[in-house]
Amino acid sequence: MSDTSSTAAAPENKKGAALLEQWKEGPLVNVLCLTCGALITIIALSWAIELPLKVGFEWLDEQAMVACYGLVLTIVFIRFPASGGKNRPSIPWYDVILAALGFGTCSYLLWVYGDIELNPFAMRPTMFWISLVILPMTVEALRRTAGMSLTIIFSVFVVYAYLGHFLPEHGFLFQAPHRLTAELGTNNASLLGLPLKIIVLTVVLFIWMGQLLLHTGASEWFTDLAAAMMGRSRGGSAKIAVVASGFFGSISGSAVANVASTGVITIPLMQQAGYDRKSSGAIEAVASTGGQIMPPIMGAAAFLMAEILELEYTEIILAALIPAALYYLAVFVQVDLEAAKNKIAPLPKDRIPLIGKVMREGWFFLLPYVILVWTLFSLNLPPQESAFWAAISVAGVSLIFGYKGHRISPKQIWDSIAGCGKSSADIVAIGAMAGIIISILDRTGLGQSLTLLLAAVGEDSLFLLLVLTAIVSILLGMGMPTSAIYLLLATMIAPSLIKLGIHPISAHMFVLYFGLMSMITPPVAIAAFAAANLSGAKPMETGATAVRLGWIAYVVPFIFVLSPALLWQGEPMAIFTGAVTAFIGVWFGSCGLIGYMFGPQGTIGRVLLFVAGILLLLPADAISNGLLINGIGLAIGVIWGTKDYLANPKSKKTAEVSSGE
């Protein structure tokens, strides 16, 4: 970007830095957290390439998980105050005791875990005393990192596990309290179960990859690339935000971090071009959130879903492709028509970098993506090993080439390693919680009871069942990172939907989408509120605008539950026709919502276009007279669009001029 752009973004950079710097820590707190964080990342890295086995050190996966969990408990009690405040210049004595107790208990569990695996019956007393320490500390760690709402939900499950047999007509599978306690805290089907394993041994590596990209300037390069590609079209500043955030958001794994890193540049650009404050913030929030559903990485959710469903990674990527394209099409159409409606011009020529220059400066940032896809698809390496080599390539290309003359330093590499483990503490705590909830659902029969309850709700109306599931998913997802949202919902809700006959991929994608929509859905729309902080808009207004921009994400999950064709499941013709009608429907629906097609739309035009879009989105293979309904929607849209085009003869010429053609 030019100097002008950099200067304009400077005040916002201070806001972005403040947004990313969530904690003001004293030197001792920082050193201890970074040391523990580095050890977490190093353990994950060594496991990705099976280094312990290669040097003859035979640790079980669960022992690596226990080691990382002990380090995470240390970070939590050192870094996160019990009061929930954000200042931590020193460590109070009680948190020193808790940190030492957590680390010491996990270290002891690490030491005796081999014996537990060999003879769990004989080791049950030891397991009981270990769990008696770890379980309360897990609850407190969750409270400090994820807040009270999630802690209350988790506590309800734990209380039910111990007292559920007192409820009338509970269908409870009773287990002795001492045995239940021993199993919940030390079993590889509970706290040390699949959720924690995936997070520690896979997701941490993707967090490290994102840290390296931040340190090497990749977010700036993606923004420059988007500017070179989109800057000459009308509303180019908003399209830059959409493209840049989509690129970077897929890796970052956090919509809020994505807003903070790319929004400091894109939001001032949009405001200078003519977008109002709430629109500029909402566009950035929606684009950043969409990165979490964008293949090939999807904020690491793709790998989690593949592991949980026991499917090939390629199946998950194909399933996510069409819905993600529909999401970004809806956003693109709306920002383009908003620009036409409000006569927002392209970027000034001096603000648009030459694409050749941008590619020469940062072409190597594409190599990690290539390596990731190549190792996953061609070499069939496991996700954690592919992530390892992709992350290593980020550091390698930066050391060799450097971005704008700045090569990554050894200190920055170390900072990325330490920062990765440090920032993963909250999601590791949530992973431990998810494992315990899975165990409780299984051991008490509560999972079957929830399925029966949902079946009773959905017996008369599948739509009502899905609406309730969507609301619960949004509520549970508030304030959590992508991987944590998905893990929680995949644990609590998706299995029940699958048992009711919904396609497994559809069920998991449904809860993922609505969990992510909590990022932009008031009252706790943290991505929208973060963008509002940068744009200077009112948070609730920004959230409401973001909901309108991301409307398709509230609609398309219902569609792929009715017909998995949009998830690349089924006959090729059904997939093709479903995709084509959906893309046309998104265009018509977005025109109706924005109130502009070839010219401004009145109330009748907006309603007709939106109805046409919804009729086209309905899956023809899942409803009676589906093709007829799609045809009616197409006819309404085409007839009204033709009328609008003829009524605005200058629209095509205006579009060409504003696009710089």
Side-chain angles (χ1 to χ4, degrees), residues 208-222:
W208 183 47
M209 184 177 175
Q211 290 272 338
L212 283 170
L213 286 168
L214 281 172
H215 280 286
T216 54
S219 61
E220 182 186 351
W221 181 74
F222 283 130

Side-chain angles (χ1 to χ4, degrees), residues 630-654:
N630 289 164
I632 292 172
L634 182 62
I636 293 173
V638 170
I639 291 171
W640 187 264
T642 303
K643 174 183 176 298
D644 188 48
Y645 182 84
L646 295 175
N648 295 277
K650 296 182 180 181
S651 61
K652 185 173 185 296
K653 182 178 179 181
T654 303

Side-chain angles (χ1 to χ4, degrees), residues 57 100 165 185 275 284 295 297 302 359 364 503 572 585 616:
F57 192 63
H165 58 284
Y275 288 94
E284 176 59 41
I297 298 175
M359 291 303 296
F364 48 84
H503 193 285
L616 278 162

Side-chain angles (χ1 to χ4, degrees), residues 269-349:
L269 283 179
M270 286 186 276
Q271 291 179 341
Q272 291 164 15
Y275 288 94
D276 59 33
R277 292 183 175 186
K278 67 178 181 181
S279 295
S280 60
I283 290 167
E284 176 59 41
V286 172
S288 294
T289 301
Q292 314 301 294
I293 56 172
M294 175 61 69
I297 298 175
M298 299 168 58
F303 303 102
L304 297 173
M305 197 176 297
E307 289 281 347
I308 292 171
L309 291 175
E310 298 181 352
L311 295 174
E312 292 293 329
Y313 169 74
T314 51
E315 290 186 59
I316 305 300
I317 292 304
L318 285 175
L321 195 58
I322 295 176
L326 292 172
Y327 182 94
Y328 276 101
L329 174 64
V331 180
F332 257 100
V333 169
Q334 290 178 89
V335 299
D336 179 70
L337 295 179
E338 183 81 26
K341 184 179 180 180
N342 297 315
K343 297 181 173 56
I344 298 174
L347 285 180
K349 290 184 178 180

Side-chain angles (χ1 to χ4, degrees), residues 355-400:
I355 192 165
K357 181 175 182 293
V358 172
M359 291 303 296
R360 284 195 303 273
E361 289 178 336
W363 62 270
F364 48 84
F365 285 127
L366 297 176
L367 288 178
Y369 289 90
V370 173
I371 289 173
L372 181 66
V373 173
W374 177 57
T375 53
L376 282 168
F377 291 91
S378 298
L379 300 184
N380 293 317
L381 295 181
Q384 60 267 29
E385 190 171 352
S386 298
F388 172 84
W389 292 115
I392 289 294
S393 69
V394 174
V397 296
S398 182
L399 282 170
I400 296 170

